[in-house]
Amino acid sequence: MSRHVAIVTDSTAYLPARTMERHGITAVPLTVVLGDRALEEGTEISTRSLAQALQKRRPVTTSRPSPELFAETYRRAAESGATGIVSLHLSAELSGTHDAAVLAAREAPVPVRVVDTGMIAMALGFCALAAAETAEAGGTVDEAVTAAEKRAAGTSAYFYVDTLDYLRRGGRIGAAQALLGSALAVKPLLQLAGGRIEPLEKVRTASKAIARLEEIAADRAGGAEVDVAVHHLSAPERASALADRLRTRLPGLSELHVSEVGAVIGAHTGPGLLGVVVSAR
């Protein structure tokens, strides 16, 4: 029997269910705490319910998976024949998910490599896919990790949000930065840099901000062969229109995914989010 490397990620990768099934990727869910209810992302809370809660200013927080949940995931992978596991997760700067996975990996029945990708959303998803494709081709744990890290190095993520208030509430951006944005009545563009969400540019109107987001993504892609993901929260028309424009602008476009983010990212960005992930193949 050939060696089998299992790929594990978390629910913030936002990979399509069919893609995960086809490549045998398992996602461990993070939790959204809505009032006094703890709900698993992807199965127990919808983005519509989240958006309604945020608009009503109900308390919403998020939490990492427990080490026990990771331990059970690793145990099931081993029982299914895995001789090694690569566990790829969202940036440790944004969540304790990586730390929980590390704790569980110490007691796993097979070797587990836990990787802080420094990514989130499909920026993380593309890393998981790179690892899975390498494993499917007979690659080792180390080779799958290298493929994921190489993909992360060639991936950029940019975001537009209607307001910085949700990021401020969740502690993902400084209060001074959020206050400055509100005071100037600007529409912020953000980027993922060093595993953190950082301000990129300030634009005066939503339409100009989205046009600028398109320009930044196109410049980042250039003529290279890239995969792209367009994310949104409660903004499907904006996302679809942006995706259509990118299809015509990117000569090296290979795959383009359009999807609504889940409740964990949504809780920190708020309705109106529009994001673009550009990942070199």
Side-chain angles (χ1 to χ4, degrees), residues 98-114:
H98 172 268
D99 292 341
V102 169
L103 289 172
R106 294 172 183 167
E107 307 298 327
V110 296
V112 180
R113 285 281 301 277
V114 181

Side-chain angles (χ1 to χ4, degrees), residues 2-26:
S2 63
R3 293 176 59 84
H4 168 53
V5 177
I7 307 301
V8 174
T9 187
D10 60 68
S11 59
T12 67
Y14 302 135
L15 285 162
R18 287 177 294 181
T19 300
M20 291 180 59
E21 184 177 354
R22 184 166 66 250
H23 293 282
I25 300 170
T26 301

Side-chain angles (χ1 to χ4, degrees), residues 10-12 28-31 41 61-66 70 88-102 114-121 124 170-172 192 194-197 264-265 268:
D10 60 68
S11 59
T12 67
V28 177
L30 276 73
T31 299
E41 181 176 44
T61 58
T62 60
S63 65
R64 71 180 192 179
S66 68
F70 274 113
L88 302 142
H89 301 292
L90 78 159
S91 172
E93 295 284 350
L94 301 175
S95 169
T97 299
H98 172 268
D99 292 341
V102 169
V114 181
V115 180
D116 172 12
T117 65
M119 300 284 119
I120 198 167
L124 167 59
R172 266 57 180 190
L192 197 58
R196 295 176 178 271
I197 297 172
V264 168
I265 290 184
H268 295 290

